[in-house]
Amino acid sequence: MKIADFLKPDRWLESAGGPRYVQLRRRLFEGIETGVLLPNTSLPPERELAEITDLSRVTVRKAVQELVRDGVIEQRQGSGSFVREQVGRVEQTLSQLTSFTEDMTYRGMQTTSKWLERGIFEPSEEEVTVLGLAPKEQVARIYRLRTADGHPLALERAALPLDILPNPTEITTSLYAVLENAGRRPVRAEQKISAVNLGAREAGLLNVHEGAAGLSIVRISFLANSRVAELTRSIYRGDAYDFVAELRL
Ligand code: 16G
């Protein structure tokens, strides 16, 4: 269907349907989800949208601005508003202790990591407490931007005691693979997930706008002897990740 037909107001605008810009935003989003508006195609200019929908330019602008805020549409200087390429959502079950590399490989996706930090550091108070470090003991830390098929999905900062990961530079792809080879792969983990709005730096790295929704995840994992092996703080893109838990009676 042509966008001009799809946006004809008698097809979707309802007088009791709430604010008009909200209804238009919803209709545009529906157009993107159903493929009437394809990724990387441009929206008709504001004036034209106002004509097609019979709405004021102010209303149209507000609807488009909200889609820009939500990361669905991007404004390119001088050339208008474009539909952004949407990242396919990834589902991760919460019942298995898997690694990022395993999760993505299972889905046939190629992973890469951009290294933001990798080395041996003075621990933070939290690292001392959670990892049970002795006084003056240092900590191995790796901080990565993790991507799948070229899309940035998560920022992960992992801290491990040095006897569990003596040489953090040894990790090129998978932390868990290195730990497994050394016979020190965690067998159990506790994970806490909370909602966050991304700050400017994180948003920039994850290629979303500042304030976009994200998931903050803290994973503490344990070896078979119950010793803490890993403290990882991650920020996942809210538009790209679903965590799924199975519940039984
Ligand atoms: C996952 C874990 C993270 C772990 C990493 C190892 C979550 C929220 N986090 O991303 O704690 O350090 O896998 O992945 O699931 P790797 O073996 O690919 O480096």
Side-chain angles (χ1 to χ4, degrees):
M1 187 187 293
K2 275 205 186 123
I3 185 67
D5 292 330
F6 182 79
L7 290 178
K8 279 208 178 100
D10 53 340
R11 290 177 180 267
W12 54 275
L13 192 65
E14 289 173 27
S15 49
R20 291 165 161 232
Y21 77 92
V22 175
Q23 291 191 58
L24 175 59
R25 184 192 70 200
R26 219 181 284 138
R27 184 68 175 172
L28 286 167
F29 187 64
E30 215 179 293
I32 293 166
E33 283 207 312
T34 54
V36 177
L37 280 162
L38 293 168
N40 294 315
T41 55
S42 58
L43 284 189
E46 191 179 289
R47 178 186 36 78
E48 209 177 308
L49 279 176
E51 262 166 37
I52 301 170
T53 58
D54 225 359
L55 296 170
S56 72
R57 286 180 71 157
V58 175
T59 304
V60 167
R61 192 171 313 144
K62 207 158 172 203
V64 173
Q65 269 166 2
E66 294 222 338
L67 290 167
V68 171
R69 184 205 61 192
D70 295 342
V72 176
I73 283 185
E74 91 186 298
Q75 264 154 352
R76 298 184 192 159
Q77 206 108 51
S79 47
S81 306
F82 287 76
V83 179
R84 282 187 66 155
E85 190 115 35
Q86 300 300 304
V87 183
R89 294 185 79 91
V90 172
E91 279 194 2
Q92 190 192 321
T93 51
L94 284 172
S95 53
Q96 283 191 331
L97 182 54
T98 48
S99 72
F100 185 87
T101 309
E102 288 164 342
D103 288 339
M104 298 308 144
T105 309
Y106 180 74
R107 291 173 178 81
M109 297 167 103
Q110 288 283 338
T111 60
T112 48
S113 287
K114 182 176 171 201
W115 289 95
L116 302 170
E117 193 174 88
R118 174 171 43 173
I120 295 171
F121 297 88
E122 293 302 319
S124 67
E125 263 178 48
E126 184 194 30
E127 287 163 345
V128 172
T129 316
V130 175
L131 300 174
L133 302 180
K136 302 229 165 75
E137 201 178 327
Q138 291 184 304
V139 74
R141 215 184 271 152
I142 56 177
Y143 184 28
R144 293 174 283 177
L145 171 69
R146 316 216 59 179
T147 66
D149 283 352
H151 296 293
L153 287 189
L155 284 163
E156 290 200 318
R157 192 194 291 273
L160 300 93
L162 283 186
D163 59 319
I164 290 180
L165 182 66
N167 180 12
T169 54
E170 196 188 332
I171 301 158
T172 49
T173 323
S174 167
L175 166 65
Y176 279 16
V178 168
L179 295 179
E180 182 151 0
N181 281 340
R184 291 189 286 265
R185 181 172 171 141
V187 296
R188 187 178 80 80
E190 287 169 10
Q191 205 160 278
K192 186 169 134 187
I193 305 180
S194 24
V196 283
N197 291 108
L198 302 178
R201 180 163 188 271
E202 295 157 340
L205 288 163
L206 290 170
N207 198 19
V208 289
H209 59 93
E210 187 179 346
L215 296 164
S216 154
I217 304 171
V218 183
R219 180 184 284 194
I220 299 176
S221 65
F222 303 84
L223 301 180
N225 64 9
S226 298
R227 175 147 178 238
V228 176
E230 166 201 13
L231 163 66
T232 297
R233 284 188 171 274
S234 315
I235 304 277
Y236 278 72
R237 269 174 67 159
D239 63 344
Y241 238 81
D242 292 318
F243 286 90
V244 182
E246 188 190 40
L247 310 173
R248 289 175 198 251
L249 184 64

